[in-house]
């Protein structure tokens, strides 16, 4: 695990993002306290299709969604 300050993370975000992508956890601190953590993706390279996304939302939503595009439109509001 790597710890960096907020300023260091802002100045070289790409490097620390690459570290997290490669599997290392990066903790960003502000005033000596943890501020946020960059962690590796849980399953790198696994991409879900829009149909899989909609099927999952339909399972967990109280009322089924008419279409995936509605979800994205709601998020942008």
């Amino acid at each position: 695990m790597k710890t960096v300050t907020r300023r260091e993370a802002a100045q070289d975000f790409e490097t620390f993002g690459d570290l997290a992508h490669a599997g290392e956890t990066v903790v960003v601190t502000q005033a000596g306290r943890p501020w946020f953590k960059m962690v590796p993706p849980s399953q790198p390279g696994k991409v879900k299709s829009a149909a899989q996304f909609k099927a999952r939302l339909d399972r967990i939503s109280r009322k089924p969604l008419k279409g995936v595009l509605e979800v994205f439109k709601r998020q942008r509001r």
Side-chain angles (χ1 to χ4, degrees), residues 16-74:
F16 299 118
D18 287 343
L19 283 174
H21 183 73
E24 187 166 347
T25 298
V26 179
V27 176
V28 179
T29 61
Q30 180 176 342
R33 295 186 183 139
W35 190 48
F36 73 89
K37 184 176 4 177
M38 289 191 279
V39 296
S42 58
Q43 296 178 353
K46 185 175 181 182
V47 178
K48 292 185 178 182
S49 70
Q52 290 172 319
F53 179 70
K54 181 188 179 306
R56 180 157 188 253
L57 286 177
D58 286 344
R59 281 194 309 271
I60 63 175
S61 179
R62 289 187 178 172
K63 56 183 177 179
L65 299 170
K66 292 179 185 175
V68 174
L69 290 179
E70 279 185 30
V71 175
F72 294 119
K73 287 178 185 176
R74 280 190 222 160

